[in-house]
Amino acid sequence: MPMRLEHSAILLGFRHDDEFDPDGAVTIRAVRVMLRENIPNLSAIVGQRIKESFAVLLDAPLQQKGVMKASVLAFAKMALVQPCIQISYGDELGMYCQASCATEALAKSLGEDHLGRMFMAWRGSMREVGKHLEMLIKERLAAHANGSDEQYLDLARFVIASSRAPEQKDPVRLRQLLIAMAFTFAHQPPMALAWAIIELGQHHEYIELLRSEICTVEQEGHADLINHLPLMESVLRESSRLHPLDGLTVQRKAVNPFSFSYGIHLPVGTLVAVPQQAILRDPANYSDPDQFNPFRFHPYSAPGQAVRKWTDVDPQYLFWGSLAKPCPGRWMASHLLKQFLVQFLKNYDFELLDPNNCKSATQAMNLIGDMTCLDSIFSGCSEVFQEVQTYFAE
């Protein structure tokens, strides 16, 4: 834990525990309330950004060569960059954020604060993002002051609207907070998506079942198609059960000495956490826990019965954090990945190069896909995709 990189080293000085919003009220209102309420309004533009990403990353190369090879994780990261920027900042900053996402990921892996700061300073991408974000915040604060910010539909507007105290409206702090939120969207959903793609690549029978579900829902004419895909919910929940992004979750520090009834004593300063990975693979909680079986969460009974959603939290499924304070952005993340999978499965096919060699590697307690577990679908890369594929594989 002492060797982990402080987030302030790579997020323009942002700290989630500052004195101006110690309980995270701004984040909770902006993300859990305003963003969640506006998911239906964001759905069309997010879907369009995913379609545009596919056009660049897949359609152009496939038209040239027919097949292309790609890292699953690198592809997931690149394909979700534009939708994540749209959610965070709207249309204005898309061209500036892409390189910084990759830079910050590498800085995290360095493991030391001063190395992280040195690398980010040398790369310069965060300064570039910060400069353009500073201009956006100035415009948005003015729009909020004169009541004309209804035209915007993104986290920048929601954060400013949720910031009540003068210190919370400080442009420097707003810039830091929006950078932190953007990086959360740019890193966690792609890793969850990569594992879902890998599991589907290892279990092709579910691809056809999902395509059938999508087709059926489209024929039924649901305006909110994304909310009528129970099998897709179950696939995402099951792939995340097998591959949680953190082996340990709900990390806390003892502020007072504490002794458990069975004799374990925690001195002040002891770090404790819930062993999420062990819980999610405990046979007492899940039968055949090492097997990919989405139907464990999918009811066979009559339509209309409640289905376990990917976003549901319970003591045996802490993928989103604690029951008291789970991830406030999980509904947007769920909608984003379901939008991606609908378009992806309808329009493309894929297979893993080595479906029996899909390992995981731990970095800073996060589980990521082994970069040798590649394939996907596609061969023939555009220059930008080749460059990013090489970057993440190195």
Side-chain angles (χ1 to χ4, degrees):
M1 289 290 288
M3 297 298 290
R4 296 184 70 186
L5 186 64
E6 282 284 342
H7 51 280
S8 59
I10 51 177
L11 298 178
L12 299 179
F14 170 75
R15 296 199 63 87
H16 64 78
D17 53 355
D18 69 16
E19 68 273 23
F20 304 125
D21 189 25
D23 298 323
V26 171
T27 300
I28 290 172
R29 182 170 186 268
V31 179
R32 191 175 70 187
V33 179
M34 298 187 72
L35 179 61
R36 185 184 182 186
E37 287 177 348
N38 281 279
I39 288 175
N41 302 324
L42 279 163
S43 184
I45 188 62
V46 168
Q48 179 61 31
R49 293 292 175 260
I50 293 172
K51 183 177 180 180
E52 292 168 359
S53 294
F54 286 163
V56 173
L57 298 176
L58 301 182
D59 295 349
L62 287 172
Q63 288 174 4
Q64 294 177 3
K65 298 188 178 180
V67 183
M68 62 176 283
K69 298 177 183 177
S71 156
V72 175
L73 181 57
F75 167 64
K77 282 179 175 285
M78 287 299 296
L80 292 183
V81 165
Q82 288 305 110
C84 289
I85 293 171
Q86 181 70 44
I87 294 166
S88 300
Y89 310 131
D91 300 324
E92 290 133 290
L93 289 186
M95 67 182 71
Y96 301 110
C97 296
Q98 190 162 307
S100 190
C101 291
T103 301
E104 189 261 354
L106 181 58
K108 277 187 174 181
S109 72
L110 294 175
E112 297 261 4
D113 288 353
H114 64 279
L115 290 178
R117 295 179 195 276
M118 288 171 58
F119 186 84
M120 298 300 280
W122 169 77
R123 184 65 175 81
S125 55
M126 286 299 297
R127 290 196 303 272
E128 185 71 7
V129 172
K131 180 176 68 176
H132 293 282
L133 188 54
E134 184 178 3
M135 293 187 291
L136 179 141
I137 290 171
K138 185 181 297 184
E139 295 172 359
R140 296 297 185 84
L141 283 170
H144 180 69
N146 62 32
S148 62
D149 59 345
E150 292 293 328
Q151 61 185 300
Y152 302 113
L153 196 63
D154 50 47
L155 270 173
R157 173 193 154 198
F158 304 150
V159 167
I160 291 172
S162 301
S163 300
R164 306 293 174 82
E167 295 86 356
Q168 294 172 351
K169 293 182 179 180
D170 176 66
V172 173
R173 188 181 189 281
L174 288 172
R175 183 181 63 173
Q176 295 170 342
L177 180 55
L178 286 169
I179 283 284
M181 288 183 175
F183 280 136
T184 299
F185 275 108
H187 288 285
Q188 306 293 11
M191 288 192 286
L193 175 60
W195 280 119
I197 293 174
I198 289 172
E199 287 294 346
L200 290 173
Q202 293 177 303
H203 304 88
H204 271 259
E205 65 273 20
Y206 289 101
I207 295 177
E208 296 309 316
L209 289 173
L210 287 171
R211 286 172 174 160
S212 177
E213 179 179 69
I214 294 166
C215 181
T216 298
V217 175
E218 287 181 332
Q219 290 174 351
E220 291 172 352
H222 294 286
D224 56 342
L225 177 148
I226 298 301
N227 294 322
H228 292 81
L229 301 170
L231 179 58
M232 187 172 290
E233 291 271 10
S234 300
V235 165
L236 288 168
R237 189 173 178 89
E238 178 71 346
S239 66
S240 298
R241 182 189 69 80
L242 288 170
H243 309 287
L245 305 184
D246 295 300
L248 300 174
T249 188
V250 195
Q251 300 176 40
R252 299 291 186 267
K253 180 185 289 188
V255 295
N256 294 303
F258 183 83
S259 296
F260 289 95
S261 58
Y262 47 84
I264 298 295
H265 177 71
L266 303 180
V268 173
T270 302
L271 296 171
V272 295
V274 176
Q276 175 182 211
Q277 189 173 27
I279 291 173
L280 292 172
R281 295 207 182 208
D282 188 341
N285 297 324
Y286 300 98
S287 60
D288 297 321
D290 296 327
Q291 299 300 311
F292 179 73
N293 177 22
F295 283 104
R296 73 174 76 244
F297 298 118
H298 187 285
Y300 290 95
S301 53
Q305 179 174 325
V307 64
R308 300 304 305 275
K309 294 184 179 297
W310 186 32
T311 52
D312 290 347
V313 182
D314 62 53
Q316 286 74 46
Y317 195 90
L318 296 172
F319 179 81
W320 300 103
S322 70
L323 276 68
K325 201 172 182 180
C327 172
R330 62 191 186 277
W331 297 282
M332 187 72 247
S334 174
H335 188 89
L336 175 64
L337 265 61
K338 286 185 283 186
Q339 280 250 35
F340 177 99
L341 288 172
V342 166
Q343 293 194 39
F344 185 59
L345 296 176
K346 283 177 60 178
N347 296 293
Y348 305 95
D349 203 359
F350 71 100
E351 62 181 7
L352 300 176
L353 288 180
D354 189 357
N356 296 318
N357 189 30
C358 293
K359 304 175 183 178
S360 64
T362 55
Q363 288 188 2
M365 295 170 59
N366 290 327
L367 299 176
I368 66 172
D370 188 332
M371 293 299 95
T372 62
C373 183
L374 308 185
D375 174 65
S376 292
I377 17 192
F378 335 103
S379 120
C381 305
S382 64
E383 291 182 5
V384 63
F385 193 57
Q386 269 187 328
E387 179 181 346
V388 174
Q389 176 187 344
T390 302
Y391 178 91
F392 282 107
E394 288 178 348

